[in-house]
Amino acid sequence: MQRGQTSYGTNGLQNFLFPLDEMYITQGSYTATYSHNGCYAMDFVGWNGSSQQTHYPYYAPFNCYLRAKWGSSSPMLVWESTTQVNFVDGTSGYACIGFCHDDDIPQFILGETRNQWDIIGHTGTYGAPGSDHVHIEAKKGIYNGYHQNSEGVWMLTDSTWLYDLMGIND
């Protein structure tokens, strides 16, 4: 998606959109052997079509509010939809999306809101992840906490595959 973009389904609900204008994956989900082992998180870098960009903007994938901020060494911001949204798998419901590594994380305040097209953050290195990127996790439903999985990885409770939730332009 791009700044200023909105997307609605025929049912009048917002479509859950992928929050960057380019998709450049640097670490995948679940079977990764590093920090994503046993979870559905994915890492993305800012990309301009030919090279990586730092402090790259990403956007609110739906109208949302900041529901939670958790973790100490690499905090996650969890944004919850203010209304039900459409998922790319054909279902609808409330949604949550979590982001890590924005260098401005300490300045965010619980309860603040964003519209679908607003810049919601920037790729960064907060929490010393090694390189500038954004870590994304998402789930259907309202926020219900986080937990440590059997691999020792902290993750959103009930998170799932990103590609079952969010769509890309067109």
Side-chain angles (χ1 to χ4, degrees):
M1 75 180 301
Q2 297 177 3
R3 185 179 179 138
Q5 179 182 2
T6 59
S7 179
Y8 289 86
T10 56
N11 61 0
L13 299 178
Q14 286 183 329
N15 296 320
F16 188 152
L17 295 177
F18 178 72
L20 286 97
D21 58 6
E22 299 229 9
M23 185 183 292
Y24 196 93
I25 302 168
T26 59
Q27 187 177 357
S29 299
Y30 213 78
T31 57
T33 58
Y34 186 56
S35 61
H36 297 177
N37 201 11
C39 78
Y40 298 100
M42 296 180 81
D43 290 346
F44 302 89
V45 296
W47 195 258
N48 72 356
S50 61
S51 64
Q52 182 177 348
Q53 305 294 300
T54 60
H55 202 63
Y56 198 79
Y58 51 92
Y59 306 95
F62 41 70
N63 292 348
C64 56
Y65 71 101
L66 184 56
R67 176 71 165 83
K69 185 191 309 191
W70 56 266
S72 56
S73 62
S74 188
M76 175 175 280
L77 299 177
V78 180
W79 298 85
E80 186 174 302
S81 62
T82 56
T83 61
Q84 292 189 35
V85 300
N86 294 316
F87 301 107
V88 75
D89 70 1
T91 62
S92 301
Y94 286 90
C96 288
I97 189 165
F99 300 103
C100 292
H101 307 310
D102 187 328
D103 295 323
D104 296 325
I105 279 179
Q107 298 171 25
F108 285 88
I109 300 168
L110 291 177
E112 61 184 280
T113 62
R114 297 289 186 278
N115 290 317
Q116 185 174 46
W117 59 84
D118 291 339
I119 292 176
I120 201 168
H122 294 85
T123 61
T125 58
Y126 193 78
S131 66
D132 185 277
H133 71 278
V134 61
H135 169 104
I136 301 175
E137 295 182 45
K139 67 178 291 289
K140 291 182 177 183
I142 62 171
Y143 177 72
N144 61 342
Y146 59 97
H147 69 282
Q148 193 170 24
N149 69 17
S150 61
E151 302 293 331
V153 176
W154 290 98
M155 59 188 281
L156 280 173
T157 299
D158 300 325
S159 60
T160 192
W161 303 107
L162 299 181
Y163 49 76
D164 284 341
L165 302 177
M166 56 184 78
I168 58 172
N169 296 338
D170 301 323

